Amino acid sequence: MASNYRILVVDDDPDIVEMLQYNLTREGYQVAEAENGKKAIAAALAFKPDIILLDVMMPVLDGIAACRQLREMSEFRNTHIIFLTARAEEFSEVAAFEAGADDFLTKPIKPRALLSRLGAYARRDALQEEQDQVIEIGGLRIDRTSFAVYKGENKITLPKKEFELLSFLAATPNKVFSREELLNNVWGSDVYVIARTVDVHIRKVREKIGEDNIKTIKGVGYKFNTD
């Protein structure tokens, strides 16, 4: 599976890039690299990565700005983007998720933890590819094979995590899920994200599909509403 998986490493520290490239290549991943956000966008267009490991603080174009630009391109709406962050950086996780981040890795990076994290993403992607399911509910048609959502005749484009969150809720309508349950089932228990991440993604989904389908249960969580 790893041999078919492409990872773009973006960091202005050549030692970090060399370490990541060595460990990822040894594990069987295809690896490309870039030293700043501007070059990352060009490399991503040429390489078509499944995952982008993206440093936050870089010259020319920082990671947040690069992530935002990548998410505006249809080719990268479903690409996993994982930020590499130093502990001392003053940086808002909410701002990163707003830009389209999926996950974070804290420097100094531990190779075993990195490979475990990437393996979890690869396994979930492989499982998703095996699923052949269309959910029709609440005026929506959710095609899990093509990551497409239709409302009537209108196609609604959602980034991957927003799509997975919507399809997970819609698969069990009227069941209330806590933020922790949604984090574990959509992001995975081995991925570090904060509960606020769910709220950010729910808001973005509502902006695109309308306010009626996903209901907030105060103090509990969210459900896909058919009442």
Side-chain angles (χ1 to χ4, degrees):
M1 178 171 58
S3 62
N4 297 319
Y5 220 68
R6 297 178 300 279
I7 299 177
L8 173 61
V9 177
V10 187
D11 201 300
D12 62 332
D13 186 330
D15 291 335
I16 291 177
V17 172
E18 183 180 1
M19 182 273 290
L20 291 173
Q21 187 173 42
Y22 170 77
N23 283 280
L24 294 171
T25 303
R26 188 177 63 174
E27 195 71 12
Y29 293 106
Q30 299 179 45
V31 182
E33 61 186 70
E35 62 187 27
N36 60 57
K38 185 176 180 180
K39 290 186 177 181
I41 293 170
L45 287 167
F47 187 55
K48 308 296 183 189
D50 299 291
I51 290 179
I52 300 174
L53 298 176
L54 186 61
D55 188 26
V56 176
M57 301 300 293
M58 294 182 293
V60 185
L61 189 69
D62 67 40
I64 297 289
C67 180
R68 190 175 293 112
Q69 290 188 29
L70 287 164
R71 288 302 193 210
E72 291 173 352
M73 303 178 190
S74 59
E75 301 97 315
F76 306 114
R77 290 199 178 109
N78 296 329
T79 303
H80 302 297
I81 298 180
I82 302 175
F83 275 118
L84 308 177
T85 66
R87 292 182 187 276
E89 287 172 354
E90 293 183 3
F91 144 77
S92 168
E93 293 183 6
V94 172
F97 284 122
E98 289 278 6
D102 292 301
D103 196 5
F104 294 88
L105 283 173
T106 303
K107 297 178 182 178
I109 297 167
K110 299 176 182 178
R112 288 182 64 184
L114 167 69
L115 294 173
S116 175
R117 185 80 55 90
L118 296 178
Y121 275 105
R123 287 191 297 273
R124 284 199 294 274
D125 283 351
L127 180 62
Q128 185 68 48
E129 288 177 3
E130 293 173 1
Q131 293 178 335
D132 182 6
Q133 185 176 9
V134 175
I135 302 172
E136 296 191 28
I137 190 170
L140 300 175
R141 182 158 58 91
I142 303 168
D143 188 339
R144 299 182 67 175
T145 60
S146 62
F147 282 86
V149 179
Y150 297 88
K151 189 172 185 177
E153 297 299 319
N154 297 321
K155 183 178 180 179
I156 302 169
T157 301
L158 298 178
K160 190 169 186 176
K161 275 291 174 280
E162 292 175 27
F163 180 89
E164 290 176 349
L165 180 58
L166 173 63
S167 62
F168 178 79
L169 288 168
T172 315
N174 298 314
K175 175 177 171 57
V176 180
F177 292 94
S178 69
R179 289 173 178 82
E180 289 73 21
E181 288 174 315
L182 293 172
L183 285 173
N184 287 336
N185 284 281
V186 177
W187 280 264
S189 59
D190 53 353
V191 175
Y192 172 71
V193 287
I194 58 177
R196 170 68 174 150
T197 305
V198 174
D199 301 331
V200 171
H201 283 72
I202 289 287
R203 177 174 57 78
K204 288 187 171 185
V205 172
R206 282 172 170 162
E207 287 173 355
K208 294 166 185 172
I209 70 170
E211 298 288 333
D212 296 333
N213 293 108
I214 299 178
K215 184 176 181 180
T216 302
I217 308 300
K218 190 172 182 179
V220 182
Y222 298 99
K223 72 172 184 175
F224 191 96
N225 186 43
T226 61
D227 296 336

